[in-house]
């Protein structure tokens, strides 16, 4: 469990009360004057409470002494033990029947790239085009997911992994429902992207690398996130103090700094439309 700021404040106050009472008693015993003890206690309570709070916040940001991989392994082991007592249900209405009903092959179009590279923009353009052509789609976007399904996650490496894991599971459910899923997430780690690909099936996964220089991304940054990250106000920001692992063999590369949105859209449509048409002989 991650300690909140309110919890740190409460710990600071309660510990300071204990510490101040101790200081007052010692000062009284040493000086022989209860008034001196009260004065010393009053003088130090505020300053040490502030120092303790700041000390807690510094340690909160440090990974020293924490085995996050071990914590994650334990969580996975607990989840595995629960899963062993659960039986997966089978239903008569399956993905194949939904495909026939919806007249399309469900896939996941996974947009990855730096913040500000144009992932959401291209996802929106593609969805509009597919919708106009009669395809059933659903867009999953990083900001929207963080407001709901993943609002308990921060931006540590461990939480980023969990964020993408959850999104992968949701994407798989949409694919099972016969929907074309457009997922737009920074998803900086190759292992996480590969895990989603394996989860939904390689033949149902299109990796789109929205390739844009970080300098251009910063110029487009209306939220001021890059500026805050460079000033240290935001920690673990991809491209600044957290890495982005480049896709090795993406299905589509969009150079959004050098090509128009329409040019990028046409590149996308050539790949996506051939995948989602029922006329294509896709392995199921």
């Amino acid at each position: 469990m991650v300690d909140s700021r309110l919890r740190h404040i409460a710990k600071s106050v309660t510990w300071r009360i204990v510490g101040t009472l101790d200081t007052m008693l010692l000062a009284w015993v040493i000086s022989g004057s209860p008034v001196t003890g009260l004065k010393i206690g009053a003088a130090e309570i505020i300053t040490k409470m502030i120092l303790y709070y700041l000390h807690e916040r510094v340690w909160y940001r440090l990974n020293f002494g924490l085995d996050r991989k071990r914590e994650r392994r334990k969580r996975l082991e607990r989840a595995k033990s629960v899963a062993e007592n659960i039986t997966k249900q089978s239903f008569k209405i399956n993905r194949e029947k939904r495909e026939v009903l919806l007249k399309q092959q469900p896939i996941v179009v996974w947009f990855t790239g730096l913040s500000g590279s144009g992932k959401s923009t291209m996802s929106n353009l593609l969805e509009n085009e597919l919708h106009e052509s009669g395809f059933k789609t659903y867009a999953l976007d990083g900001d929207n997911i963080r407001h709901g399904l993943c609002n308990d996650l921060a931006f540590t490496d461990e939480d980023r992994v969990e964020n993408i894991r959850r999104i992968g599971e949701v994407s798989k459910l949409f694919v099972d429902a016969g929907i074309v899923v457009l997922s737009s997430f920074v998803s900086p780690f190759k292992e996480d992207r590969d895990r989603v690909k394996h989860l939904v099936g390689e033949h149902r996964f299109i990796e789109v690398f929205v390739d844009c220089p970080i300098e251009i991304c910063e110029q487009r940054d209306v939220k001021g996130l890059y500026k805050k990250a460079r000033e240290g106000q935001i920690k673990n920001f991809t491209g600044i103090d957290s890495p982005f692992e480049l896709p090795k063999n993406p299905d589509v590369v969009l150079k959004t700094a050098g090509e128009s949105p329409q040019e990028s859209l046409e590149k996308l449509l050539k790949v996506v439309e051939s995948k989602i048409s029922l006329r294509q002989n896709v392995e199921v």
Side-chain angles (χ1 to χ4, degrees), residues 95 122 140 153 191 252:
R95 188 192 66 237
M122 294 314 307
L140 298 173
L153 300 178
E191 183 179 354
V252 183

Side-chain angles (χ1 to χ4, degrees), residues 134-175:
F135 292 106
K136 284 71 177 176
T137 63
Y138 196 88
L140 298 173
D141 187 81
D143 287 346
N144 294 345
I145 290 290
R146 286 274 185 180
H147 277 292
L149 178 65
C150 297
N151 66 3
D152 60 322
L153 300 178
F155 290 93
T156 62
D157 287 355
E158 183 185 30
D159 280 0
R160 286 178 186 276
V161 170
E162 175 61 15
N163 183 54
I164 298 303
R165 187 196 70 79
R166 294 183 190 180
I167 294 159
E169 292 290 347
V170 172
S171 297
K172 181 183 178 183
L173 290 175
F174 272 108
V175 166

Side-chain angles (χ1 to χ4, degrees), residues 118-136:
K119 299 183 298 300
S120 296
T121 297
M122 294 314 307
S123 174
N124 288 334
L125 288 174
L126 177 60
E127 184 172 36
N128 288 338
E129 191 71 23
L130 295 178
H131 182 77
E132 290 297 321
S133 299
F135 292 106
K136 284 71 177 176

Side-chain angles (χ1 to χ4, degrees), residues 36 46 48 75-76 102 105 120 132-133 169 181 184 192 197 199 223 234 236 241 243 249-250 256 259 265-266 281:
T36 301
I46 300 298
K48 288 191 176 179
R75 187 168 64 246
L76 290 174
L102 298 176
Q105 294 280 3
S120 296
E132 290 297 321
S133 299
E169 292 290 347
V181 188
S184 306
D192 296 338
K197 179 189 292 188
L199 182 67
K223 302 176 186 176
I234 299 178
N236 302 313
D241 56 353
N249 296 295
T256 55
E259 58 193 30
L265 178 60
E266 289 174 3
N281 183 21

